[in-house]
């Protein structure tokens, strides 16, 4: 109310509101085209832009547009109809202006959740995670080449045998 009374304008969306709206635009706009690989590519590209902007020490705030994200989607092979659906959702939920990429992704982590588990990966290594269907069930696959720990306890490499 204060912002409207003083500046006669709507307040900007909070970072959390922007992230939620962006995720809705992706999910609703892309539909079945919203895959792990597509989300990984978007996350990697936005993280790269954030890091390059930080390294350049440019005083201007970093902004991206729905068109920038649409270019990433096209590079991932998303069909034009799904890209247009994303752009429509973005205009509806986020408007026409530029957005701060750090408000759209969490630059410190890449998280995947299922009903039963949550997997958090360093964003620099998100490419390691795969979603695969085996025997009719979907699985998240993460290579365990460097060893595995559970609650800080290192696991052995012997195969488990049922009792």
């Amino acid at each position: 109310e204060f912002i409207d009374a003083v500046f006669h304008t709507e307040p900007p969306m909070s970072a959390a509101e922007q992230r939620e709206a962006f995720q809705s635009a992706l999910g609703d706009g892309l539909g079945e085209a919203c895959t792990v690989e597509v989300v990984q590519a978007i996350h990697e590209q936005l993280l790269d832009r954030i890091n390059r902007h930080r390294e350049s020490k440019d005083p201007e705030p970093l902004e991206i547009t729905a068109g920038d994200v649409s270019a990433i989607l096209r590079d991932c092979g998303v069909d034009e109809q799904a890209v247009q659906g994303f752009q429509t959702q973005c205009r509806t939920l986020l408007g026409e202006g530029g957005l701060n990429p750090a408000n759209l992704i969490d630059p410190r982590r890449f998280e995947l959740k299922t009903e039963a588990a949550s997997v958090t990966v360093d964003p620099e290594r998100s490419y390691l995670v795969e979603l695969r269907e085996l025997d009719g069930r979907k699985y998240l696959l993460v290579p365990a080449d460097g060893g595995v720990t559970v609650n800080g306890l290192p696991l052995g490499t012997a195969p488990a045998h049922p009792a």
Side-chain angles (χ1 to χ4, degrees):
E1 292 176 7
F2 173 77
I3 292 173
D4 187 36
V6 173
F7 299 107
H8 305 292
T9 186
E10 290 289 318
M13 295 175 88
S14 70
E17 290 171 326
Q18 285 181 22
R19 182 173 295 155
E20 187 176 304
F22 180 71
Q23 290 171 345
S24 291
L26 276 174
D28 296 343
L30 296 181
E32 290 294 313
C34 189
T35 64
V36 171
E37 295 80 13
V38 168
V39 174
Q40 284 171 325
I42 292 168
H43 199 276
E44 288 171 6
Q45 291 288 324
L46 296 183
L47 183 61
D48 182 56
R49 289 180 190 206
I50 291 167
N51 289 336
R52 282 186 296 160
H53 185 263
R54 187 178 302 131
E55 289 169 3
S56 74
K57 299 184 191 299
D58 185 350
E60 291 297 314
L62 176 62
E63 286 191 347
I64 63 153
T65 65
D68 295 330
V69 177
S70 295
I72 296 169
L73 295 173
R74 286 184 188 98
D75 288 346
C76 292
V78 173
D79 69 68
E80 193 58 34
Q81 183 177 350
V83 172
Q84 292 300 321
F86 165 74
Q87 288 181 334
T88 300
Q89 289 295 318
C90 269
R91 278 192 295 280
T92 302
L93 298 171
L94 294 163
E96 297 286 340
L99 301 166
N100 183 340
N103 291 347
L104 307 180
I105 64 166
D106 185 341
R108 294 174 302 279
R109 68 185 182 145
F110 185 82
E111 184 177 41
L112 300 103
K113 287 186 179 184
T114 70
E115 290 179 15
S118 175
V119 177
T120 304
V121 181
D122 178 342
E124 302 283 331
R125 306 194 73 173
S126 69
Y127 65 89
L128 294 172
V129 180
E130 293 180 51
L131 180 64
R132 285 215 191 140
E133 189 169 319
L134 303 170
D135 297 327
R137 292 183 71 187
K138 291 182 182 176
Y139 291 91
L140 289 174
L141 300 177
V142 181
D145 299 330
V148 177
T149 62
V150 175
N151 297 330
L153 177 66
L155 299 181
T157 58
H161 297 287

